[in-house]
Amino acid sequence: MDTTTTITPLGGDVYEIDTRMAGHTGITAGYLILSDRPCLVEPGTSGSAPVVQAALREMGVGPDDLATVVVTHIHLDHAGGVGDIAKMYPRAEVVVHEKGARHLADPSRLMRSARMVYGDSLDTLFGELKPTDAARIRAVEDTGVIDLGGGRRLESHYSPGHAKHHVGLMDSQTGDLYVGDAAGIYIPETADVKPATPPPDFDLDTALASLARFRSLGPQRLLFAHYGPVSEVDDTLERSAEELRVWVDAVQDAKDQDLDLDHAVAMVVDRTKDRYAVTGGDIDPELAAKYELLSSARSNVAGIMHALGKHA
Ligand SMILES: [Zn+2]
């Protein structure tokens, strides 16, 4: 197994680790906060676990040293490796929103529905989420606190919209906000922000309220799971909200015209493609494909369709 590591120091004892979902570089980021009580944010997929382990070893974090593993939400590109990492780091507490906790203890239902969505590609994309001993899982509610040691804290803030079990995580020392997928997908190569609105949980008003909540926390920097740090906080959160509105408007039009999903996807992609350097103008097909794998237009349109159906 190739466990080549890419570790990027971000200052404040924070390290970005490329968790290399399905072998792709630069689409899934985990973060290590190397404080007195080291904390791993987003272990990535099950297939990512050996890569994360190699990265932690490189940074001197041994099996007994990791204090906490926390996920922003339980989608498999973020939390698929929790069971593996929990085994590798037997003293680490696993922190998750209460709506996701039972799926980490017993992933069977989550894996069944993921299998229905992804079919055979589930194994190459994510692998199998393994169960974590329930006694090691701490469920947080609207807010929660992770002790990073030395008075430093990571505070969780409930942020549904992308998923009903989503939290943002704010570092009390650096002002870093780990946004998970609640602010969409940030593509560092082109500085694009794209929406992430998959079924079945996406809801526009809920997602916008979470973005407003993020802004009210006054973060100094946003750390995207996809992908990396962004310092233009207000502009980026504003762009995230705008992306959601544009996509929901476009899907609403498709719905008004009674388009089926295929035609709706084609219409929305055509209407929005010039908003993104990654798909408009000079296309880098490899880059576009890589991000399409992570957050496909089809899944986004289906999620918005589902949400609009609920409100109708
Ligand atoms: Zn994600």
Side-chain angles (χ1 to χ4, degrees):
M1 156 112 215
D2 173 17
T3 55
T4 311
T5 56
T6 307
I7 303 167
T8 310
L10 301 179
D13 298 317
V14 176
Y15 296 85
E16 177 195 284
I17 300 166
D18 187 340
T19 58
R20 302 211 346 256
M21 180 178 103
H24 294 280
T25 54
I27 53 172
T28 49
Y31 295 93
L32 177 70
I33 304 171
L34 199 47
S35 55
D36 292 349
R37 292 172 44 80
C39 174
L40 175 66
V41 182
E42 317 271 44
T45 66
S46 177
S48 302
V51 178
V52 172
Q53 185 183 36
L56 264 55
R57 191 184 297 127
E58 238 177 277
M59 285 182 284
V61 177
D64 289 333
D65 300 331
L66 191 68
T68 313
V69 181
V70 55
V71 292
T72 58
H73 60 303
I74 60 163
H75 289 164
L76 293 173
D77 53 325
H78 300 253
V82 165
D84 303 89
I85 293 289
K87 265 196 202 73
M88 292 167 175
Y89 301 92
R91 297 164 76 115
E93 179 177 58
V94 174
V95 179
V96 59
H97 187 262
E98 57 174 345
K99 287 197 160 66
R102 70 192 169 97
H103 297 289
L104 295 187
D106 175 9
S108 51
R109 225 183 85 184
L110 176 72
M111 289 310 298
R112 252 198 321 276
S113 54
R115 178 76 61 183
M116 280 198 304
V117 175
Y118 295 100
D120 289 343
S121 56
L122 180 86
D123 302 299
T124 43
L125 280 176
F126 309 114
E128 188 85 17
L129 169 62
K130 298 169 190 82
T132 298
D133 180 1
R136 294 182 56 191
I137 299 174
R138 180 157 66 90
V140 292
E141 300 178 20
D142 190 52
T143 57
V145 175
I146 292 162
D147 177 11
L148 297 174
R152 186 173 180 177
R153 299 176 315 280
L154 195 60
E155 290 161 7
S156 74
H157 298 271
Y158 187 42
S159 51
H162 171 80
K164 63 173 188 270
H165 38 70
H166 196 292
V167 299
L169 300 157
M170 178 91 168
D171 185 326
S172 66
Q173 183 169 306
T174 60
D176 284 332
L177 178 64
Y178 297 85
V179 292
D181 290 356
I185 307 291
Y186 179 79
I187 303 178
E189 290 89 342
T190 55
D192 284 321
V193 180
K194 298 190 78 178
T197 61
D201 290 349
F202 173 70
D203 179 79
L204 177 63
D205 291 341
T206 311
L208 291 175
S210 291
L211 289 173
R213 185 173 191 182
F214 281 176
R215 189 181 298 230
S216 75
L217 296 171
Q220 296 300 303
R221 182 166 66 169
L222 307 174
L223 297 183
F224 282 80
H226 324 291
Y227 185 97
V230 178
S231 300
E232 296 76 22
V233 171
D234 286 349
D235 287 354
T236 304
L237 291 178
E238 201 170 300
R239 173 83 193 269
S240 301
E242 190 190 329
E243 289 298 324
L244 293 176
R245 290 195 196 93
V246 165
W247 276 63
V248 170
D249 273 356
V251 174
Q252 181 67 63
D253 286 354
K255 207 165 181 288
D256 292 344
Q257 296 169 41
D258 281 328
L259 298 185
D260 64 19
L261 183 58
D262 284 337
H263 288 91
V265 171
M267 188 268 253
V268 173
V269 166
D270 187 59
R271 200 204 273 193
T272 56
K273 66 179 192 299
D274 293 333
R275 301 177 59 78
Y276 317 107
V278 74
T279 49
D282 267 338
I283 303 169
D284 176 348
E286 212 171 299
L287 187 67
K290 193 167 90 163
Y291 279 99
E292 183 71 10
L293 183 74
L294 197 67
S295 169
S296 72
R298 190 180 180 83
S299 152
N300 285 340
V301 170
I304 296 169
M305 283 268 188
H306 182 73
L308 293 173
K310 275 191 294 200
H311 286 293

